Amino acid sequence: SWSPIPSPEWAGFEALWGASTGEVFAVGLGSSWQSQLWVWSETEWKLLATVDGTWCVDLWGNSPSDIYAACFTLGKFGSPVFFPLAHYDGTRMRPVLIDVPSNRFSRVWSAGPETVYLSPGGVGLMRREDGRWREVAEVNALLAQREMGGILGMVGAGPDDVYAVGNRGLILHFDGEEW
């Protein structure tokens, strides 16, 4: 059955990811305009990390020491200046800077430490593999052709079995070779 879990004071959670039964990670905006990464360990929340001046809106992990958060930074006077990703390595949460011309929210999904998908707003889809970022050209062309906007969510069972959803009923599947 569903039952409420007390949340930390000032924690505005945006996204959750579960590592195991009773171990749930949450990310959201704290009271001092910084994103906070928390972990629930069956009885209490513990603050793990913060990233100053950011607002993280999506979360995915591969292990408790390999967690990605999709974020944007808060610039002067609260105007968003986008950086798409933060990474928690089990000790610290650090920004991952990627040259992406967008100021919208993004989504993140990872199939392991070497394969990460990122959807920054209206830009389309990017994939990091072997330490390098590249645009997923076939998805971005489809999004542009149909004026679909960006990817709104992603999930998968592995690097060769990824699903993405977007505006206007868009559902895509990657089988390891093509979308």
Coordinates of all heavy atoms in Angstrom, one line a residue, residues 3 17 29 101-102 170:
S3 N 2.1 4.8 1.4 CA 2.2 5.5 2.6 C 3.2 6.7 2.5 O 4.1 6.6 1.8 CB 2.6 4.6 3.8 OG 3.9 4.0 3.5
W17 N 15.1 8.2 -8.2 CA 15.7 7.0 -8.8 C 16.0 6.0 -7.7 O 16.6 6.4 -6.6 CB 17.0 7.3 -9.6 CG 17.7 6.1 -10.0 CD1 17.3 5.3 -11.1 CD2 18.9 5.5 -9.5 NE1 18.2 4.2 -11.2 CE2 19.1 4.3 -10.2 CE3 19.7 5.8 -8.4 CZ2 20.2 3.5 -9.9 CZ3 20.7 4.9 -8.1 CH2 21.0 3.8 -8.9
L29 N 15.3 21.3 -5.8 CA 15.8 22.6 -5.4 C 15.7 22.8 -3.9 O 14.6 22.6 -3.4 CB 15.0 23.6 -6.2 CG 15.6 25.0 -6.2 CD1 17.0 25.0 -6.9 CD2 14.7 25.9 -7.1
P101 N 23.1 24.6 -27.0 CA 22.5 25.9 -27.1 C 21.0 25.8 -26.7 O 20.1 25.8 -27.5 CB 22.6 26.4 -28.5 CG 22.6 25.1 -29.3 CD 23.3 24.1 -28.4
S102 N 20.7 25.7 -25.4 CA 19.3 25.5 -24.9 C 19.2 26.1 -23.6 O 20.1 26.1 -22.8 CB 18.9 24.0 -24.9 OG 17.6 23.9 -24.4
L170 N 4.8 11.0 -29.8 CA 6.1 10.5 -30.3 C 6.6 9.4 -29.4 O 6.8 9.6 -28.2 CB 7.1 11.5 -30.5 CG 8.5 11.0 -31.0 CD1 8.4 10.6 -32.4 CD2 9.5 12.1 -30.8

